[in-house]
Amino acid sequence: MRLLSNISYTALAFALSTPVAAVAQDSGPSDTAADDGFGINDIVVTAQRREQRLQSVPISVSAVSGDDLERTGITDMRQLTQTMPGLVFSRANTSLQPYIRGVGTRNSNVGDESNVAVYIDGVYQPVMSSLGFDLVNIERVEVLRGPQGTLFGRNSTGGLINVITKDPTEEFSGKISVTAGSYDQFSGSAYVSSGLAEGVKVDATYMRYTDSGYVKDLVNGGHAGPRDSQVVRGRIFFEPSDRFQASLTGTHTWLRDGSPVTNQPYQGNTVVNTMSPLPLYGTKPWESAQDRPLLVKSRLWSAELQMRYEFGGFNIETTSAYQDATALAQTDNDGSAAAIRGADVYQDLYYFSNELRILSTTSGPFSWIAGAYLFDGAGEFDPLISIVNGNPGGPFHTRQTVNSYALFGEATLELGNLSLTGGIRYTDESRDYYAESSTNPLLVPLQEGSNDKVTFRATAKYTFSPDLNAYLTFSRGFKSGVFNGFATNLTAAQITKPETLDAFEFGIKSDPLPWLRANISAFYYDYKDIQQSARDPSSSLIILFNAAKSKMKGGEFEVTVQPTQDFSLRFYGAYVDAKYDSFPGAQVFVPVTTCPIPGQSPCGNVAVSPFDASGNDMIRAPKMTLGGSGSYQIPVDFGLFSLAANVYYSDKYYWDFDNRIVQPSYTMVNGEIGFATSDGSDAFRISVWGKNLLNEVVYQQVLNSTSGDVVAFERPRTFGVTVSKGF
């Protein structure tokens, strides 16, 4: 009945409005566009490190334009869950953790990295605390599913997300936007771009967002968990000749968000149930009671230099980047107003990366790309404080450094309608780790670890017609071994083995009609040495280990329909059967039901390890997700009215290895009604929007320990108004 109800809501939303086709940067007249001007434009992506038509790339990739994301209510990275098949964005305090097809990391220790790699304009983003940034001035977002073991090889066992920002323009242009909404939400953004001289263009982007929090504060009244964020980005683009280009980009992002740690006990399970009188805690969605101020905040400074040299027959491209970040999480592990257990975790991180690529540019049947990649830096907890019964422990200082290099190459041979691609990458990585406290400078003496790996890709694509092709691919990805940044003793300070994922995939891409696009794919994964984390029962800090392998299978579809210039639809779905094939070393937390005070149960957890989770569903992997988005424009004499909506359905999924903590199935519905003075970039536009219109209860974070299980919620139903003006 729940699914039928969700389907009926979906049908109602689409009766009111229809999805925007995922149109990114237009590369000229579409191969499938009709002569009268309607039809689906080509989408240009960089999934293989060069600009290519989406329909020509033999990879399972989705691309959505920044304008479409804005119209359908997607304003930050975590909300991409609602618009991409097979993607789940979750978090653990400061760490943002994307999952694709059930592959992701729940580790949150300093120096670790996501195995769904995130890039901005092709630049790798290693800091997990900085992955939840606001999407502002975006050209498009590309999501590649499956291991990217060759061209984007950095830890990409699950796939990657590449956010492409807009390039500067030669003419003076820009846009100003202001939004006001529920819970005192207020945000404003400004973008300006211009040419300065022949071959020199610049742009600047600024955005600021604030709200008062949406979680009812049972202790102080009002609301808790406010969010405050800022994005500043500037770019200067040089093109002194038609053979050389360079761009220099600087970015500063800042985030202060209390919502992920403003929590409550999951199903009332907390150790404070052993106390009399019973301390206050939340029992309904979106309410909380804490004994001290809680927050998550992060800051990132970054600078990137990208250059391209064009020669006869090949180009040389370079990308160099530096990132400096800090983060802080102040948490409460019992979810109540009693001072039982929490932590203060401070992070400092910096990373350098350099990449060199050489790409062929000849028009013959053979094309290739080769390159080298260097990555090094360090992350540290400084300090790491565990709080028990209101008393801080430690403080501890831990530090992990990484030095990695890789060599890679990929080549494609066109044999008539048959295209063959092969690629290989060699990665060598070393790490160091140590830990100290105020009383013991050699808590963990310097530990050294290293690993290397060869990953590869082999693909065959057959083109049946200009509008139909099929591909079969095998690829291997790996996530490098890592030290546990929470380790404060030698036993825990052991580097993990790399995890590896072998993937087989078959896909079909088709444009059967000028106004219809349909793509499908099916996959099978063999996933080994999965890096997992657990809680130390005595300190609530993290234990990191290799303990699992799994077999995974499933598939996705995407359908785009655009019968007229003013009406478009996009539907998508994913099925993922992800189970632990072997996981005898899992740790689970079992609720304590024999509590000292009658009627106050459960009262915390008992840690059970090892626990055999073999055969259980993998965490954060809903079996089925379905979605659609749409837009409909109504031209009138004095402007343009528009309707837009986005609908996303997710099956239930689990947050723990025992499959005890459940995110119930839910349907997220966003909608917008707008008016613009014209369809040009300089139009004045006003829109009224609503998000989570069904007021669904969705968890953004669930953590468990011996203190109990705590859960934090995504935003409830909200409404707002946005006004913008281009020039």
Side-chain angles (χ1 to χ4, degrees):
M1 291 299 293
R2 172 66 180 252
L3 180 58
L4 290 176
S5 175
N6 291 332
I7 292 173
S8 68
Y9 279 121
T10 303
L12 176 60
F14 281 118
L16 296 174
S17 60
T18 51
V20 181
V23 176
Q25 144 184 355
D26 201 343
S27 64
S30 168
D31 291 349
T32 60
D35 293 336
D36 62 1
F38 80 90
I40 301 172
N41 289 328
D42 277 337
I43 303 171
V44 175
V45 297
T46 54
Q48 297 188 121
R49 288 293 196 175
R50 61 175 87 222
E51 291 189 351
Q52 296 173 294
R53 292 180 62 241
L54 172 68
Q55 293 300 90
S56 300
V57 176
I59 295 174
S60 180
V61 54
S62 298
V64 179
S65 74
D67 290 341
D68 293 347
L69 292 172
E70 184 178 350
R71 289 191 192 101
T72 51
I74 310 303
T75 57
D76 66 52
M77 283 288 285
R78 293 190 305 111
Q79 295 171 4
L80 288 177
T81 294
Q82 302 172 35
T83 192
M84 296 290 183
L87 173 64
V88 174
F89 230 111
S90 59
R91 72 188 305 160
N93 297 330
T94 58
S95 295
L96 282 298
Q97 301 167 332
Y99 280 66
I100 295 179
R101 294 174 172 174
V103 180
T105 181
R106 76 173 201 165
N107 305 336
S108 59
N109 74 85
V110 71
D112 202 354
E113 302 161 54
S114 172
N115 48 3
V116 172
V118 175
Y119 292 76
I120 300 177
D121 295 323
V123 178
Y124 178 55
Q125 308 294 307
V127 181
M128 288 195 287
S129 61
S130 299
L131 299 184
F133 52 86
D134 296 294
L135 295 170
V136 55
N137 196 39
I138 301 301
E139 179 67 35
R140 68 185 181 276
V141 175
E142 302 173 9
V143 175
L144 281 63
R145 294 179 287 276
Q148 310 299 314
T150 306
L151 301 181
F152 292 92
R154 182 70 193 165
N155 285 338
S156 300
T157 49
L160 70 89
I161 303 169
N162 193 10
V163 178
I164 312 296
T165 63
K166 293 181 179 179
D167 288 330
T169 58
E170 290 185 357
E171 69 280 2
F172 180 73
S173 62
K175 183 179 180 181
I176 297 174
S177 179
V178 176
T179 295
S182 306
Y183 303 103
D184 299 320
Q185 175 187 342
F186 183 82
S187 64
S189 66
Y191 170 72
V192 63
S193 179
S194 180
L196 293 183
E198 183 69 25
V200 181
K201 300 178 290 186
V202 297
D203 69 4
T205 300
Y206 177 80
M207 179 183 180
R208 181 68 183 271
Y209 173 100
T210 62
D211 67 37
S212 60
Y214 55 85
V215 181
K216 184 178 181 181
D217 189 338
L218 300 180
V219 174
N220 302 303
H223 291 94
R227 185 178 189 270
D228 189 353
S229 66
Q230 179 177 266
V231 176
V232 182
R233 182 169 58 245
R235 176 176 298 155
I236 182 167
F237 180 87
F238 301 93
E239 192 171 15
S241 73
D242 58 0
R243 290 184 173 271
F244 175 71
Q245 296 178 353
S247 67
L248 178 63
T249 304
T251 303
H252 174 245
T253 62
W254 186 86
L255 172 67
R256 183 186 181 98
D257 188 2
S259 66
V261 289
T262 306
N263 52 33
Q264 66 173 242
Y266 173 78
Q267 296 185 349
N269 182 16
T270 173
V271 70
V272 304
N273 284 335
T274 61
M275 303 171 65
S276 182
L278 180 66
L280 190 63
Y281 58 78
T283 58
K284 299 177 182 178
W286 304 297
E287 64 178 25
S288 182
Q290 259 93 36
D291 59 285
R292 63 191 186 111
L294 304 175
L295 62 87
V296 164
K297 67 178 182 179
S298 63
R299 174 200 56 79
L300 174 71
W301 291 95
S302 67
E304 302 97 34
L305 174 64
Q306 301 195 56
M307 296 184 287
R308 183 173 72 186
Y309 307 82
E310 297 182 6
F311 298 90
F314 66 93
N315 292 345
I316 295 178
E317 299 178 352
T318 65
T319 300
S320 301
Y322 171 72
Q323 293 157 331
D324 185 288
T326 61
L328 165 65
Q330 295 178 322
T331 66
D332 183 341
N333 293 342
D334 57 86
S336 77
I340 302 296
R341 179 161 286 174
D344 290 348
V345 181
Y346 298 79
Q347 298 183 30
D348 287 301
L349 312 98
Y350 71 88
Y351 293 101
F352 295 90
S353 62
N354 290 278
E355 186 172 57
L356 169 70
R357 300 180 298 278
I358 307 175
L359 304 86
S360 67
T361 57
T362 55
S363 58
F366 183 71
S367 60
W368 51 269
I369 177 173
Y373 181 74
L374 299 175
F375 177 77
D376 66 77
E380 56 187 349
F381 284 134
D382 188 22
L384 172 63
I385 302 171
S386 178
I387 300 173
V388 179
N389 295 325
N391 299 312
F396 302 109
H397 172 214
T398 76
R399 178 180 174 88
Q400 180 166 192
T401 64
V402 58
N403 183 272
S404 177
Y405 72 87
L407 302 172
F408 59 89
E410 189 168 280
T412 298
L413 179 63
E414 305 281 351
L415 301 171
N417 290 340
L418 179 64
S419 171
L420 301 175
T421 299
I424 191 168
R425 187 181 188 105
Y426 171 75
T427 302
D428 185 277
E429 182 162 307
S430 61
R431 288 179 177 266
D432 295 340
Y433 179 80
Y434 74 87
E436 62 185 13
S437 69
S438 56
T439 58
N440 187 353
L442 293 176
L443 197 64
V444 177
L446 183 66
Q447 304 295 299
E448 298 178 344
S450 63
N451 51 79
D452 60 349
K453 202 75 174 178
V454 175
T455 54
F456 42 84
R457 173 187 173 217
T459 301
K461 183 183 78 169
Y462 191 83
T463 302
F464 297 94
S465 72
D467 300 322
L468 176 65
N469 67 76
Y471 64 89
L472 179 65
T473 185
F474 170 73
S475 56
R476 169 172 291 179
F478 97 109
K479 181 179 186 292
S480 62
V482 64
F483 284 102
N484 176 13
F486 289 97
T488 55
N489 59 67
L490 274 174
T491 302
Q494 303 298 315
I495 192 168
T496 64
K497 294 185 292 184
E499 61 178 39
T500 59
L501 192 151
D502 291 339
F504 299 85
E505 183 166 321
F506 172 75
I508 297 174
K509 296 189 174 185
S510 66
D511 291 326
L513 296 168
W515 48 268
L516 176 63
R517 172 167 293 161
N519 297 338
I520 62 172
S521 62
F523 66 89
Y524 174 81
Y525 286 175
D526 185 5
Y527 194 13
K528 298 177 181 177
D529 292 320
I530 304 174
Q531 297 171 13
Q532 297 287 9
S533 62
R535 288 269 179 176
D536 183 338
S538 61
S539 68
S540 287
L541 298 180
I542 302 298
I543 303 167
L544 188 62
F545 57 98
N546 296 94
K549 62 180 180 178
S550 70
K551 302 291 194 301
M552 309 163 68
K553 57 184 179 293
E556 298 104 2
F557 73 88
E558 286 191 83
V559 176
T560 302
V561 181
Q562 189 160 0
T564 73
Q565 208 170 21
D566 297 321
F567 177 74
S568 62
L569 294 168
R570 173 176 172 255
F571 302 97
Y572 60 88
Y575 173 79
V576 179
D577 183 11
K579 295 183 180 297
Y580 294 111
D581 186 51
S582 176
F583 195 179
Q587 182 202 70
V588 301
F589 287 92
V590 178
V592 176
T593 57
T594 55
C595 303
I597 301 176
Q600 292 182 194
S601 174
C603 53
N605 291 317
V606 173
V608 177
S609 180
F611 173 84
D612 191 352
S614 304
N616 285 4
D617 285 351
M618 296 182 70
I619 60 174
R620 305 178 195 177
K623 271 192 165 46
M624 181 177 292
T625 54
L626 297 169
S629 58
S631 69
Y632 181 51
Q633 298 185 135
I634 308 170
V636 295
D637 291 339
F638 51 90
L640 195 71
F641 286 98
S642 62
L643 303 172
N646 185 76
V647 181
Y648 172 80
Y649 167 80
S650 172
D651 262 348
K652 69 176 182 180
Y653 58 89
Y654 302 101
W655 286 82
D656 66 328
F657 304 134
D658 194 24
N659 294 173
R660 175 177 62 86
I661 300 178
V662 183
Q663 166 62 62
S665 62
Y666 67 91
T667 301
M668 190 71 68
V669 178
N670 304 328
E672 178 195 89
I673 300 173
F675 171 77
T677 54
S678 72
D679 60 358
S681 60
D682 61 347
F684 172 83
R685 189 172 189 275
I686 184 169
S687 63
V688 179
W689 49 262
K691 298 183 181 182
N692 191 9
L693 294 176
L694 304 184
N695 210 35
E696 292 277 47
V697 177
V698 181
Y699 306 147
Q700 67 164 300
Q701 174 170 290
V702 177
L703 300 175
N704 51 10
S705 66
T706 53
S707 298
D709 310 313
V710 292
V711 57
F713 303 96
E714 297 285 7
R715 295 177 72 87
R717 181 190 296 117
T718 56
F719 298 95
V721 178
T722 298
V723 178
S724 65
K725 176 67 172 74
F727 53 88

